[in-house]
Amino acid sequence: MCEVQVTHKYNAANPDELTLMPGDVLTECFPLDGEPGWMVGVLRGKSGLFPDNFVVKISKEKDGKANAVVPDTHGNEYDMAVGAPTGEISKFI
């Protein structure tokens, strides 16, 4: 399971979906089996479905700070806090 941060607004279209606002953080997230592009997570105590392309994965650094991590088109992950590949983060600390 992971945590994700919302990047784009999403209005729930069905009762089992969550309405998302930019900046929201969902916890206990995992991909929905048999439904590519959809995840399950918890937001404000409610569990529901949401599209995975409206969120970015949050990584926790050693100091406990959360950083949004976004994969580029080549599968490399970039830390949004410093704009660098996650493997190179130590160069900026």
Side-chain angles (χ1 to χ4, degrees), residues 8-93:
H8 298 86
K9 182 178 179 178
Y10 176 76
N11 291 316
N14 296 298
D16 60 348
E17 296 177 5
L18 297 170
T19 293
L20 309 176
M21 298 299 291
D24 284 347
V25 174
L26 293 97
T27 59
E28 303 176 37
C29 302
F30 58 91
L32 183 61
D33 288 337
E35 293 292 333
W38 287 89
M39 296 184 78
V40 176
V42 176
L43 177 64
R44 293 184 286 279
K46 181 182 177 188
S47 179
L49 307 174
F50 60 93
D52 66 3
N53 59 339
F54 283 67
V55 300
V56 292
K57 180 181 168 187
I58 296 175
S59 72
K60 298 269 183 168
E61 295 299 320
K62 291 178 186 175
D63 60 7
K65 293 180 183 176
N67 294 312
V69 176
V70 181
D72 67 11
T73 56
H74 302 290
N76 301 308
E77 291 186 338
Y78 286 82
D79 187 300
M80 296 305 290
V82 295
T86 54
E88 297 180 16
I89 208 93
S90 60
K91 293 180 183 178
F92 298 94
I93 298 176

